[in-house]
Amino acid sequence: MDRIELIAPCHFGLEAVLKREIQDLGYEISGTEDGRVTFYADMAGISRANIFLRTAERVLLKAGEFKAETFDELFERTREIPWERYIPSDGKFWVAKAASVKSRLFSPSDIQSIMKKAMVRRLQEHYRTDWFKEDGASYPLRVFLKKDVVTVGIDTSGVSLHKRGYREVSGKAPITETLAAALIMLTPWRGDRILVDPFCGSGTFPIEAAMMAADIAPGMNRSFTAEEWTNLIPRRAWYDAVDEAASRVRTEIETDIQGYDIDSSVIKVARRNAREAGVDHLIHFQERDVRDLRHPKKYGFVITNPPYGERLEDKRDLPDLYRAFGESFKRLDSWSAYMITSYEDAERYFGRKAQKNRKIYNGMLKTYFYQFPGPKPPRKDAGKGAD
């Protein structure tokens, strides 16, 4: 199994960002669909993908793909997969999640039950036993059915990759770490540029930006299900990936990253989260109203997740809030603004039309990523004469 295929699910609408990340790691893309990217790697690639990918929700080892229109077909085709290549005799295995779109088989519980029975039958024949203790490492499956095509992946990550390990407590309406990272990557912002989030909440945008600037891999400080798969991945592969990540960290850099929020309690949470992420020295958090948004320098970025008005009583406050945000932004000479919100009148009250508007699903919530790019700064060597 030198060459394997891995599946990386992501937020709908952000596949291109994840694809670029995977290619930057040196892996070949094998396919892109709504909400996921597949790619070729070796077993060590499981370690590297889990530790380095900022925008993937998890990493799955692709075990098989087939067509099934009946439960009998589902059983037989699942049974044909060589499960003994992946699951040892003491392995714990189950179908953790089944999702079906436009397929004849649509009951998740029935799909899960039948596939488990098929796996048991296959492994019983291979290991010549009638009963499995299942007291070893875990091999949870995640199954996708789309137009009767069944894609089977073994989950290498365990807890979703947006759980970096730094955010135990969140503010109201938190944005996930993976989504925040992907949205930052959609902008031209780089670590040597100014970034301000005037609705920072628990600090996710500033923290993810600081981790990018310092090249801190998002999975350095957490564990993964596949670490226990010693039958497939040598422990050395995990040590090597962590060593590679550690060698790239640059915490001595200087940044201008700021997070503001009107709620002092969430600012305390943001500071604590930044400490946990190891980037508190790279971010300035402050209790501040959006009406007081200002900065002396030009060519900065506002990247933010303003309130959506999830509760009916909050919606009444949104016009004034977005109007105040727009007025404050006008004072920022030559700046760019990027905001994700589900508020349909965001542009109207912000006071300008977005140059680009990307639809993104934040969980089940349809949101829009409004993009207001400003002018590019002059090149640092512009105006210098030739030597």
Side-chain angles (χ1 to χ4, degrees):
M1 275 195 297
D2 290 335
R3 181 176 158 101
I4 57 173
E5 195 168 10
L6 300 176
I7 306 168
C10 64
H11 282 272
F12 282 86
L14 296 173
E15 299 83 5
V17 181
L18 174 57
K19 183 178 176 181
R20 189 166 65 244
E21 268 203 287
I22 292 167
Q23 290 171 324
D24 287 345
L25 278 180
Y27 299 119
E28 178 189 348
I29 303 296
S30 57
T32 304
E33 296 181 52
D34 287 345
R36 71 179 192 255
V37 180
T38 55
F39 60 101
Y40 295 115
D42 55 10
M43 281 295 175
I46 291 176
S47 316
R48 296 185 72 236
N50 274 294
I51 287 171
F52 284 103
L53 292 179
R54 298 183 189 278
T55 64
E57 292 301 307
R58 58 184 69 246
V59 178
L60 310 175
L61 170 55
K62 187 174 179 180
E65 189 169 81
F66 53 83
K67 189 167 186 177
E69 299 179 354
T70 67
F71 284 120
D72 284 342
E73 282 183 306
L74 180 67
F75 181 91
E76 291 302 328
R77 298 303 303 273
T78 301
R79 185 180 172 187
E80 290 172 4
I81 294 174
W83 293 109
E84 63 277 4
R85 290 186 188 173
Y86 310 107
I87 303 172
S89 58
D90 65 345
K92 180 181 179 182
F93 57 96
W94 72 103
V95 181
K97 185 175 182 180
S100 178
V101 177
K102 298 179 181 177
S103 298
R104 289 173 175 82
L105 305 179
F106 57 83
S107 167
S109 58
D110 289 335
I111 293 166
Q112 289 168 299
S113 174
I114 287 166
M115 292 187 72
K116 168 76 176 189
K117 289 175 184 175
M119 295 171 71
V120 168
R121 183 73 61 82
R122 170 85 186 203
L123 292 173
Q124 281 177 334
E125 292 167 356
H126 180 80
Y127 291 118
R128 301 183 187 280
T129 183
D130 292 327
W131 185 69
F132 295 99
K133 283 186 177 181
E134 295 197 49
D135 58 357
S138 294
Y139 298 80
L141 266 67
R142 298 179 81 89
V143 181
F144 312 94
L145 283 78
K146 185 175 182 181
K147 296 181 180 178
D148 301 320
V149 175
V150 184
T151 304
V152 186
I154 311 175
D155 184 10
T156 74
S157 304
V159 176
S160 175
L161 294 182
H162 81 266
K163 299 280 190 179
R164 315 286 206 217
Y166 66 74
R167 194 174 77 174
E168 296 300 319
V169 182
S170 297
K172 292 179 289 186
I175 191 168
T176 66
E177 294 87 331
T178 46
L179 179 54
L183 295 178
I184 294 169
M185 289 181 185
L186 280 175
T187 77
W189 180 83
R190 296 295 178 266
D192 60 347
R193 306 283 295 275
I194 304 161
L195 187 150
V196 175
D197 181 356
F199 303 99
C200 73
S202 56
T204 311
F205 270 128
I207 292 170
E208 289 295 318
M211 290 177 70
M212 289 181 200
D215 207 359
I216 298 173
M220 279 185 70
N221 297 310
R222 54 158 287 173
S223 58
F224 307 95
T225 295
E227 288 180 59
E228 303 302 317
W229 296 1
T230 51
N231 62 313
L232 295 175
I233 311 169
R235 290 199 182 277
R236 184 77 252 168
W238 294 97
Y239 299 145
D240 288 346
V242 171
D243 287 346
E244 179 187 354
S247 71
R248 290 168 49 167
V249 174
R250 299 179 296 115
T251 53
E252 74 287 350
I253 61 167
E254 291 185 7
T255 59
D256 191 344
I257 300 173
Q258 301 177 36
Y260 306 140
D261 202 284
I262 197 170
D263 187 340
S264 61
S265 64
V266 298
I267 287 294
K268 290 177 182 176
V269 171
R271 286 180 178 136
R272 200 209 68 171
N273 289 343
R275 283 196 300 273
E276 290 294 320
V279 293
D280 52 312
H281 64 295
L282 299 176
I283 308 170
H284 173 67
F285 287 110
Q286 186 179 345
E287 179 186 348
R288 185 186 289 194
D289 192 297
V290 70
R291 291 167 178 81
D292 299 322
L293 173 62
R294 55 177 56 86
H295 197 288
K297 295 181 181 178
K298 300 172 69 171
Y299 305 110
F301 286 75
V302 172
I303 304 178
T304 192
N305 174 37
Y308 304 164
E310 293 81 9
R311 296 177 303 180
L312 192 60
E313 59 268 29
D314 292 338
K315 285 191 181 295
R316 292 193 294 266
D317 299 330
L318 293 184
D320 286 345
L321 182 73
Y322 280 79
R323 190 180 291 114
F325 180 23
E327 290 297 323
S328 293
F329 180 69
K330 285 179 184 176
R331 297 195 298 262
L332 295 171
D333 184 28
S334 305
W335 278 51
S336 303
Y338 298 83
M339 65 172 161
I340 180 170
T341 179
S342 66
Y343 183 45
E344 293 181 355
D345 287 326
E347 288 174 300
R348 174 185 172 190
Y349 290 109
F350 188 66
R352 64 181 69 196
K353 185 79 173 172
Q355 189 177 108
K356 291 183 181 179
N357 177 7
R358 183 186 287 250
K359 185 194 301 181
I360 294 167
Y361 280 87
N362 185 5
M364 298 303 292
L365 183 65
K366 182 170 69 173
T367 64
Y368 296 92
F369 189 48
Y370 295 101
Q371 304 172 54
F372 307 89
K376 294 180 180 179
R379 288 175 53 182
K380 290 180 180 177
D381 58 352
K384 290 184 179 179
D387 291 334

